Amino acid sequence: MSISGITSGGYGYGYSSTINNLLQLSSLKTTSSYSAIQAANKVTSTSSNSSAYSSVTSFLKDYQSELTGLEAAAAKLQTRVSGNVFTELEAGSSDESVATAQKNWKVRPETDINLEVHSTAQAQKNVSAEKVAVDLAEEDMEFEIAGPKGTKKITISSTNENGTKKTYNQMYQEAARTINAGSDTGVRASVQKSGDKVSLALTGKATGADNGFTVTGKTGAAAGLESVVNEAQDAEYTVTQDGYSQTYRSSSNKVSIDYDRIEVELKKEGSTNIYAGVDANKIVGAVQDLLDSYNSVTNLLEANAGRGAGTAAHLSSFQRGMGGEKTLAAVGISTNKAGDLVLDEKKLISALEKDYEGTMDILGGQFGLAERASQKADRALSDSVQRIVSNDLGGKTSGSSGSASGGGNSASGMGNQFTYFANFAASGAYNLSNYYAVGMLLNTLA
């Protein structure tokens, strides 16, 4: 597999310099001609060769990017690759109406915890009596709120500056703004509406028994605000794990269990099991990424099949797909009219629920879909530049077909000269060094 980029016949020089050298060679009529060597040094400055160079290098960059992207997408599903989606365990709850769960850090595969919720943490709430919103208030408000973070005195007059009386809605809105502004008491105020009636409500900002508050003084127009509607209380729950049970209390409904591996949010009283399992949505997402990347590579090869015998050969390989029709259908994959692979998410999830091990093997096993896609990408990345764009190097247009030998413009002998260079370099490091030494001497003479 090519790690740093597309190789050129396996000899390790980059495709950009290779294409540049080949474009220079295309101008040589005879390799022994001094004037031809001079022309070769200038050829890349011409607009036609510059355009050809840009087209080929742009394609090769896309070729490499798309194929390495496909390898990365396949790796997420290959069971032989560490960190694949089948080994990424998530925490789950058998009854999410009682409690939800998510991992804080890596969970253990054997996790199986029973959680009994006896009570959830509550914030205190006080509510005044309901009044008709547009009725005129008859009393002022002058009371004090003592909350978990501090105290605040509230004074609201029932009379406007012009001497007119305020409505209950006006007084409650003014009281809410005053309570919420300035210093924080740990209590927030709001105006509740029910039909044509309104009431003033105070709610603790935090849950738990230690976060209660008191209202004292003359509530006046907000009579009843000193009465508690909902008590502040702690959550109480029992965790049973490995045959051992322990009951806990918490001021918050978000608690940690299994040595802080799992975070649980308590929802209501009841019982649920907390377990470790694979997230089916992550598997579906990984399969969709694989198909998208596979389709993208196929489309790129199809649009550039005329560039070379290698490109055409890899297109044929990709068009054969990652598996038989029945195998693909078993995991919810089919081919649309445009020839692209498409995923039916519901069918894939159903397959995972009915036969998880079998579905995992089809997707990511030794002979699975991801493995086949990765092998196709690896072969395409390991191919030589000469074969991938043999028609471009042979002087043919990107829309024409040709053989791997180069063909095309026989006058330039471009494909053959590249083959000679590759064979020469393959015979040893000393030959390759001599080649470049001679090249430097010729450049000096030029």
Side-chain angles (χ1 to χ4, degrees):
M1 182 180 76
S2 173
I3 300 301
S4 60
I6 300 171
T7 60
S8 300
Y11 306 111
Y13 43 91
Y15 65 77
S16 295
S17 60
T18 301
I19 294 301
N20 188 52
N21 290 336
L22 291 170
L23 287 170
Q24 291 186 19
L25 285 172
S26 69
S27 70
L28 298 179
K29 302 298 182 182
T30 59
T31 56
S32 61
S33 169
Y34 170 73
S35 60
I37 293 172
Q38 283 187 313
N41 292 329
K42 299 177 181 178
V43 70
T44 54
S45 66
T46 65
S47 60
S48 61
N49 279 289
S50 177
S51 177
Y53 175 84
S54 177
S55 174
V56 175
T57 53
S58 177
F59 163 67
L60 289 173
K61 287 177 183 178
D62 290 342
Y63 182 93
Q64 180 178 4
S65 176
E66 293 286 356
L67 287 165
T68 53
L70 177 58
E71 283 191 319
K76 293 179 183 178
L77 288 161
Q78 291 172 281
T79 54
R80 65 178 177 83
V81 177
S82 62
N84 65 76
V85 292
F86 299 107
T87 59
E88 290 184 359
L89 297 178
E90 299 290 339
S93 170
S94 61
D95 190 343
E96 293 193 337
S97 68
V98 173
T100 58
Q102 64 178 29
K103 67 178 181 181
N104 281 329
W105 48 288
K106 190 174 182 180
V107 295
R108 299 177 296 175
E110 66 274 13
T111 299
D112 187 9
I113 302 169
N114 177 258
L115 177 67
E116 188 76 30
V117 181
H118 307 298
S119 64
T120 57
Q122 302 288 330
Q124 182 179 329
K125 186 173 184 178
N126 291 16
V127 182
S128 71
E130 289 185 334
K131 298 291 184 178
V132 176
V134 297
D135 282 356
L136 300 179
E138 297 179 355
E139 296 181 83
D140 297 339
M141 298 182 196
E142 191 172 347
F143 58 88
E144 183 177 270
I145 300 172
K149 292 187 175 182
T151 62
K152 180 179 286 188
K153 289 184 177 181
I154 307 299
T155 301
I156 307 295
S157 175
S158 61
T159 306
N160 291 306
E161 290 183 359
N162 61 8
T164 60
K165 299 294 284 185
K166 297 177 183 176
T167 65
Y168 282 105
N169 184 57
Q170 287 176 321
M171 287 197 73
Y172 292 172
Q173 294 290 354
E174 186 178 344
R177 288 194 298 270
T178 304
I179 294 167
N180 294 334
S183 59
D184 184 17
T185 61
V187 179
R188 65 175 178 271
S190 61
V191 178
Q192 297 183 167
K193 295 182 179 180
S194 177
D196 64 343
K197 295 183 177 181
V198 291
S199 57
L200 181 62
L202 300 179
T203 307
K205 290 185 177 181
T207 57
D210 292 337
N211 291 307
F213 59 88
T214 59
V215 177
T216 57
K218 183 183 175 183
T219 54
L225 190 61
E226 66 279 9
S227 301
V228 178
V229 174
N230 193 68
E231 290 279 357
Q233 69 175 28
D234 291 337
E236 186 175 318
Y237 59 98
T238 299
V239 176
T240 302
Q241 185 175 9
D242 300 326
Y244 175 75
S245 297
Q246 186 165 346
T247 299
Y248 302 91
R249 297 181 68 88
S250 170
S251 62
S252 170
N253 285 315
K254 289 187 176 180
V255 299
S256 294
I257 61 174
D258 196 22
Y259 304 100
D260 291 334
R261 289 187 177 91
I262 300 173
E263 183 179 274
V264 173
E265 184 170 3
L266 310 177
K267 298 290 188 179
K268 70 175 186 179
E269 296 178 9
S271 179
T272 184
N273 287 326
I274 307 299
Y275 60 88
V278 177
D279 187 344
N281 290 326
K282 282 192 174 182
I283 298 175
V284 170
V287 173
Q288 186 63 65
D289 288 345
L290 177 65
L291 299 189
D292 289 343
S293 186
Y294 193 93
N295 290 335
S296 185
V297 170
T298 305
N299 292 334
L300 176 68
L301 294 174
E302 189 171 17
N304 293 274
R307 289 189 178 275
T311 308
H314 295 308
L315 170 62
S316 179
S317 172
F318 272 83
Q319 286 178 330
R320 287 194 292 271
M322 293 182 285
E325 185 177 347
K326 290 184 178 180
T327 301
L328 295 175
V331 291
I333 301 173
S334 60
T335 305
N336 64 16
K337 292 181 180 179
D340 291 334
L341 295 172
V342 294
L343 176 65
D344 185 324
E345 295 184 4
K346 290 183 179 179
K347 285 187 178 180
L348 175 55
I349 291 176
S350 177
L352 288 167
E353 291 174 348
K354 291 178 180 178
D355 184 6
Y356 178 79
E357 294 295 331
T359 303
M360 179 177 66
D361 193 51
I362 290 174
L363 293 172
Q366 183 179 1
F367 304 103
L369 306 183
E371 188 70 33
R372 293 181 186 180
S374 181
Q375 289 172 356
K376 289 175 187 286
D378 184 60
R379 285 193 293 268
L381 281 169
S382 299
D383 208 346
S384 67
V385 168
Q386 179 198 10
R387 205 169 103 81
I388 295 167
V389 289
S390 58
N391 292 343
D392 287 319
L393 302 184
K396 293 188 176 183
T397 63
S398 61
S400 62
S401 60
S403 65
S405 63
N409 190 345
S410 60
S412 68
M414 196 172 181
N416 289 333
Q417 290 182 58
F418 178 75
T419 302
Y420 298 152
F421 172 73
N423 292 335
F424 185 78
S427 60
Y430 289 108
N431 277 351
L432 190 58
S433 298
N434 291 338
Y435 175 88
Y436 284 116
V438 172
M440 285 190 292
L441 289 173
L442 291 174
N443 286 336
T444 302
L445 291 174

